């Protein structure tokens, strides 16, 4: 990612890219308000957040599934971010799922104890440090991007066509999304977009209007952890990365090299389910 004044990430989710942002000053948003509340307590109250997890985790070890379902009810009634963190670390395969009424409805992953509190405490403190200069917003991506201007960089990881309906009850509107990209282009804001590529025999690439970007890079990224977890087969995934600028040639060749390595036989690098939790 090129140097920039500020870094914007309007579909932040679990923020995998945040520690790698090129500028310490960041603006991160997501439409899921509960997720943003969780980011805020990690940022501002890491000690308390670790302690609150420990309390719930200890209850789970002592009381079993009753504790999990009571905490789930409590979350659905109050939207407490500490309940949310606990649920995200102990629910089936860590999948955050809401029903039509907006209630969290995934069950307890009863064969796992949940990450140990002392390990999670370290992770929480590390992340709190990484995100100190980030402003979090519970907002639609357009609101998060409203202030972006020339000199800023935007990283976009919107819901994929291939994950329709997984995050929100209504489908993501791609026509409106392309208009927003056009607006950013008009204002000279640089962006990097990871987007639908190819998963197994399904191709999602055709939709991206070619006049919106200057560079497209295809990145084989291995097998889809999602289809693996859902046991719907192993999909080889090629991510498409679009940029509205031309990166230096050495960066392009690094990316292509990375792709070649992924295509050649590899030792088993696939996600081990256990490492997410234990
Ligand atoms: C593919 S995920 C992003 C994953 C992220 N890169 C990470 O590291 O976890 C897409 C995210 O976009 C959010 N989202 C969906 N529609 C949105 C909207 N209209 N505005 C802002 N965020 C939205 C979802 O809640 C989800 O967290």
């Amino acid at each position: 990612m090129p140097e920039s004044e500020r870094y914007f990430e309007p579909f932040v989710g679990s923020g995998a890219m945040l520690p790698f942002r090129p500028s310490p000053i960041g603006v991160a948003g997501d439409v899921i308000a509960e997720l943003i509340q969780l980011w805020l307590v990690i940022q501002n109250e890491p000690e308390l957040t670790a302690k609150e997890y420990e309390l719930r985790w200890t209850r789970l070890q002592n009381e079993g599934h009753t504790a999990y379902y009571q905490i789930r009810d409590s979350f659905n009634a109050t939207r407490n971010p500490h309940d949310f963190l606990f649920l995200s670390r102990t629910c089936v395969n860590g999948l955050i799922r809401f029903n039509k009424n907006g209630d969290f409805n995934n069950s307890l992953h009863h064969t796992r104890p949940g990450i140990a509190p002392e390990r999670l405490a370290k992770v929480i403190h590390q992340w709190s440090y990484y995100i100190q200069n980030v402003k979090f917003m519970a907002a639609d991506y357009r609101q998060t991007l409203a202030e972006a201007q020339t000199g800023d960089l935007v990283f976009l990881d919107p819901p994929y066509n291939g994950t329709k309906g997984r995050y929100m009850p209504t489908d993501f509107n791609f026509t409106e999304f392309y208009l927003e990209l056009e607006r950013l282009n008009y204002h000279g804001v640089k962006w990097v977009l990871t987007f639908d590529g190819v998963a197994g025999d399904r191709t999602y690439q055709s939709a991206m209007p070619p006049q919106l970007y200057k560079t497209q890079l295809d990145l084989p990224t291995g097998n889809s952890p999602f289809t693996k977890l859902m046991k719907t087969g192993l999909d080889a995934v090629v991510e498409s990365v679009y940029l509205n600028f031309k990166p230096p040639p050495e960066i392009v060749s690094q990316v292509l090299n990375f792709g070649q390595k992924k295509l050649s036989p590899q030792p088993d690098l696939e996600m081990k389910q256990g490492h997410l939790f234990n």
Side-chain angles (χ1 to χ4, degrees):
M1 292 202 189
E3 295 283 300
S4 64
E5 308 259 324
R6 290 177 303 175
Y7 171 83
F8 283 73
E9 191 168 342
F11 303 99
V12 71
S14 68
M17 291 300 287
L18 278 180
F20 308 103
R21 63 189 186 279
S23 147
I25 301 168
V27 180
D30 202 285
V31 79
I32 299 180
E34 293 84 349
L35 183 62
I36 296 300
Q37 284 309 314
L38 178 53
W39 276 117
L40 288 171
V41 291
I42 292 171
Q43 183 180 46
N44 300 316
E45 299 173 307
E47 199 71 50
L48 175 74
T49 306
K51 193 81 210 148
E52 292 280 338
Y53 175 78
E54 186 179 0
L55 290 174
R56 289 162 179 76
W57 183 87
T58 307
R59 270 194 68 192
L60 180 68
Q61 312 313 307
N62 295 336
E63 299 167 35
H65 66 275
T66 321
Y68 177 91
Y69 291 103
Q70 280 178 359
I71 292 167
R72 194 176 77 173
D73 287 347
S74 152
F75 171 73
N76 286 332
T78 65
R79 306 286 148 165
N80 179 315
H82 303 297
D83 288 339
F84 191 39
L85 177 62
F86 168 80
L87 294 172
S88 76
R89 305 314 302 167
T90 50
C91 68
V92 174
N93 290 329
L95 294 176
I96 309 298
R97 273 203 294 248
F98 295 95
N99 66 16
K100 270 198 268 144
N101 301 327
D103 287 340
F104 186 88
N105 67 355
N106 200 356
S107 319
L108 170 68
H109 202 127
H110 60 85
T111 52
R112 295 188 186 130
I115 184 168
E118 58 278 13
R119 259 193 78 199
L120 189 64
K122 282 192 195 136
V123 175
I124 290 170
H125 279 97
Q126 206 170 23
W127 273 91
S128 183
Y129 170 77
Y130 288 149
I131 61 179
Q132 276 311 305
N133 291 310
V134 177
K135 176 174 136 191
F136 286 96
M137 296 175 67
D140 179 78
Y141 64 100
R142 284 160 291 199
Q143 202 182 330
T144 306
L145 291 174
E147 283 176 25
Q149 56 193 33
T150 317
D152 293 331
L153 176 75
V154 179
F155 173 65
L156 301 146
D157 187 18
Y160 287 12
N161 266 325
T163 62
K164 263 188 183 157
R166 195 184 315 152
Y167 300 104
M168 301 294 293
T170 51
D171 285 346
F172 185 75
N173 186 323
F174 284 93
T175 310
E176 289 174 3
F177 178 64
Y178 299 141
L179 285 175
E180 182 64 11
L181 294 182
E182 206 174 341
R183 193 189 70 80
L184 293 173
N185 289 348
Y186 178 78
H187 289 284
V189 180
K190 282 188 177 166
W191 50 257
V192 175
L193 163 68
T194 56
F195 210 34
D196 288 358
V198 178
D201 54 6
R202 300 181 300 283
T203 302
Y204 305 110
Q205 263 165 342
S206 54
M208 181 71 185
Q211 69 278 14
L212 290 178
Y213 60 91
K214 295 229 169 81
T215 308
Q216 183 199 342
L217 300 164
D218 284 334
L219 266 178
T221 52
N223 291 326
S224 160
F226 186 75
T227 50
K228 188 176 161 75
L229 284 176
M230 301 307 285
K231 300 189 173 56
T232 52
L234 271 184
D235 279 349
V237 176
V238 179
E239 294 265 355
S240 288
V241 182
Y242 295 92
L243 306 93
N244 69 345
F245 58 94
K246 288 206 180 297
E250 63 273 18
I251 299 289
V252 174
S253 57
Q254 263 178 35
V255 171
L256 296 177
N257 252 332
F258 174 82
Q260 282 309 315
K261 278 197 197 132
K262 276 275 174 189
L263 283 176
S264 54
Q266 293 279 305
D268 184 13
L269 296 176
E270 280 154 20
M271 185 168 75
K272 292 196 172 58
Q273 291 190 19
H275 91 178
L276 279 175
F277 300 91
N278 299 312

